Amino acid sequence: MSKASLPITFDERAVDALFAPYDQGSLPGAAVGIAVAGVPGYPKGFGLANMGLPLVLTPSIRMRGYSITKMFTCL
């Protein structure tokens, strides 16, 4: 299933604008993924993946969740 044939649509520019403040080289960033019916339609990274190393977030970066994921599970 291609992105054009996803069952719902979303405004990529609106999502980009929402995360634009984090898309810089001096602050921690955010990884964002939107999938519809299991089909990835918007994989993007904004900002830095590591403050110690100037490493920019991308959809292909593997991140370790450690214990932080427990909070999301409880929520």
Side-chain angles (χ1 to χ4, degrees), residues 38-52:
V39 178
Y42 182 92
K44 284 194 180 178
F46 301 92
L48 293 178
N50 186 325
M51 293 296 291

Side-chain angles (χ1 to χ4, degrees), residues 28-33 43-50 55-69:
V32 180
K44 284 194 180 178
F46 301 92
L48 293 178
N50 186 325
L55 182 62
V56 178
L57 268 170
T58 66
S60 63
I61 287 182
R62 297 179 83 188
M63 293 187 275
R64 296 181 180 153
Y66 297 110
S67 290
I68 193 86
T69 57

Side-chain angles (χ1 to χ4, degrees), residues 7-33:
I8 66 168
T9 60
F10 57 91
D11 187 353
E12 283 191 42
R13 291 179 293 179
V15 179
D16 288 342
L18 182 65
F19 287 95
Y22 305 101
D23 199 15
Q24 53 177 302
S26 62
L27 295 173
V32 180

